[in-house]
Amino acid sequence: MQLVVHVTGARPNFPKVGPVWRALAARGVDQRLIHTGQHYDDRMSEIFFRQLDLPRPDANLGVGSGSHAVQTAHIMIALEEEFLAHPPALVMVYGDINSTVAAALVAAKLHIPMAHVEAGLRSFDMTMPEEINRRVTDQLCDLLFVTSPEAIDHLTREGMPTDAIHFVGNPMIDTLLANLDRLDTAGVRAEFDLPDRYAVATLHRPANVDSPDAVRALVEALHGVADLAPIYIPLHPRGRANLVAAGIEAHPGIHLMDPLGYLEFIAMVRGSALVLTDSGGVQEETTILGVPCLTMRPNTERPITITQGTNRLVQVEDLVAEARIALARDPNAPHATPPLWDGHAGERIADIVVPWLAARR
Ligand code: UD1
Ligand code: UDP
């Protein structure tokens, strides 16, 4: 039996792996799910497994936090043992986190074929750890599953063979669409005492939350937006201490909370008038939900969410003015949807992986 091993590790991986896992399971593929332990708090990890009916990980490597080198190295050491103990016919990696690139390096040196889900995204900003992780991972993979057409151009320009590149749609959106009927919007409204009109913000990029100067400017801008509409902020652990130290809670319209479970988070976003974020996945989700999104970054690896979605990039100094414009927009205005973001990416991936495995048997 050929074993497909999925390597996951942090919050954005979990909604992506589910649709692929299920589609491969439906086709009778033997699979193993590895959790590196990069994220470990219940609300950053376990809650997704419960809410999204993900299989229990076959192994949790428990690597935890650390500097980039320490974390990546620990993942690599543990994964090498794991791949030697349970030899994969194919390793599948997701997104752009340290667990992704660590798995890619280990599998490549053990001559294990690899597939990258969400290949070819580029911010062209090498100060982002994710950009380094994506570029290295893509170079080492045999199958490159792409979520939007411009990623095909990036990969071909970087010399990847065209027959390795497959435009399949977006498994993150498979999960979103599959869960829309499960959202308890009224329950979330009651639980968090949400008003009719509110904004949601998420923040965790190092460029936004690691330096006190950046945090100070951001907090000032968020207070300006909170003058327009209350902001509910499920806060990633990375930014909490700096944002609180900079006085983010001093404005009565700012509501900090712990990270939310997936279903609560999507329900809160769906009911909101505006999202402010620096997340990758949230740019995609707001595009499908039709909620205006202001991305607090100088660039995005997901430009399709701007050209065919609801996203805009904003500098911190323009945040209040842009928020005012976005809040005035007609919430029922029709919006475009990126091609193939239709809920079937996992099946398309499985339809490529299964014959690929058969050809190598
Ligand atoms: C990681 C990814 C980033 C992704 C984000 C999604 C890398 C380089 N970065 O960033 O691409 O957008 O996840 O959320 O892989 N922490 C906790 N509890 C946890 C996990 C982390 O308290 O369960 C804290 C620790 O203090 C840790 C810090 O958050 O040092 C950062 O965690 P880490 O996984 O290194 O990076 P993220 O900022 O979460
Ligand atoms: N998310 C969640 N609860 C939260 C914040 C985010 O469930 O409180 C979900 C959301 O669906 C998002 C995903 O987690 O798309 C990944 O989020 P994150 O912003 O951490 O990672 P990124 O996409 O930036 O790598």
Side-chain angles (χ1 to χ4, degrees), residues 11-12 38-41 44 65 68 71 96-98 129-130 204-205 236-238:
R11 181 165 75 177
Q38 177 173 342
H39 283 177
Y40 41 85
D41 289 346
M44 299 297 289
S65 304
H68 284 280
Q71 187 177 60
D96 51 24
I97 64 168
N98 283 348
E130 293 82 3
H204 71 277
R205 289 290 154 213
H236 189 287
R238 180 174 200 110

Side-chain angles (χ1 to χ4, degrees), residues 265-309:
F265 178 74
I266 297 294
M268 189 178 274
V269 166
R270 195 185 198 187
S272 71
L274 173 65
V275 167
L276 314 166
T277 196
D278 56 13
S279 157
V282 175
Q283 296 173 59
E284 298 181 343
E285 290 155 347
T286 47
T287 274
I288 295 302
L289 295 171
V291 175
C293 178
L294 297 178
T295 294
M296 298 176 282
R297 285 177 42 191
N299 50 57
T300 179
E301 62 291 327
R302 293 165 163 89
I304 201 159
T305 60
I306 299 174
T307 55
Q308 298 188 46

